[in-house]
Amino acid sequence: EVQLQASGGGLVQAGGSLRLSCAASGFIFDDYVIGWFRQAPGKGREGVSSISNTDGNIEYADSVKGRFTVSSDNAKNTVYLQMNSLKPEDTAVYYCAAVDFDDVDHELRPDEYDYWGQGTLVTVSS
């Protein structure tokens, strides 16, 4: 059974940092792309970042480039999202998701992903 467990959310002041974790199990981690997505109240789900455990490709949304860093610990089957210089507009529920490397073309599109974890809430106060 595929499981994705996101954690690390919380309340932080603008300019602060948080690190999210996504622990994965039930599939061959090296064969998958892990994506981070977020959904703010009243808005659609948007891609934030992704990392391919197969070829190492990394993608970022323009809104987070230079502030967020995605990384993967293949020994722990865990992907991290380090979020620095947080802004109030980063407030959202953050989700991690997984898709087989061979099945994805656009790594920041939510509809490309097959497996989803529960979300973790990030709130950035001004």
Side-chain angles (χ1 to χ4, degrees):
E1 179 188 4
V2 173
Q3 290 191 337
L4 298 165
Q5 182 76 31
S7 61
L11 173 64
V12 64
Q13 289 188 331
S17 298
L18 283 174
R19 189 178 79 156
L20 306 184
S21 299
C22 176
S25 62
F27 58 92
I28 301 174
F29 193 70
D30 290 356
D31 291 345
Y32 276 68
V33 175
I34 306 296
W36 283 101
F37 299 85
R38 66 187 182 187
Q39 188 164 15
K43 295 188 176 181
R45 194 166 294 188
E46 65 169 339
V48 174
S49 182
S50 67
I51 184 167
S52 167
N53 292 314
T54 304
D55 65 2
N57 183 58
I58 288 175
E59 302 283 344
Y60 295 103
D62 288 344
S63 58
V64 306
K65 281 181 182 176
R67 301 189 297 122
F68 290 11
T69 303
V70 66
S71 61
S72 182
D73 185 337
N74 288 31
K76 295 183 178 180
N77 282 12
T78 300
V79 169
Y80 303 97
L81 185 68
Q82 177 67 44
M83 306 187 297
N84 298 329
S85 302
L86 282 162
K87 304 175 181 180
E89 51 263 45
D90 294 318
T91 295
V93 177
Y94 284 71
Y95 300 87
C96 60
V99 62
D100 190 296
F101 173 79
D102 292 328
D103 293 340
V104 64
D105 292 318
H106 304 95
E107 287 86 345
L108 295 184
R109 283 181 49 172
D111 59 358
E112 298 258 0
Y113 285 75
D114 296 318
Y115 305 103
W116 290 82
Q118 92 297 347
T120 185
L121 176 63
V122 172
T123 303
V124 184
S125 62
S126 56

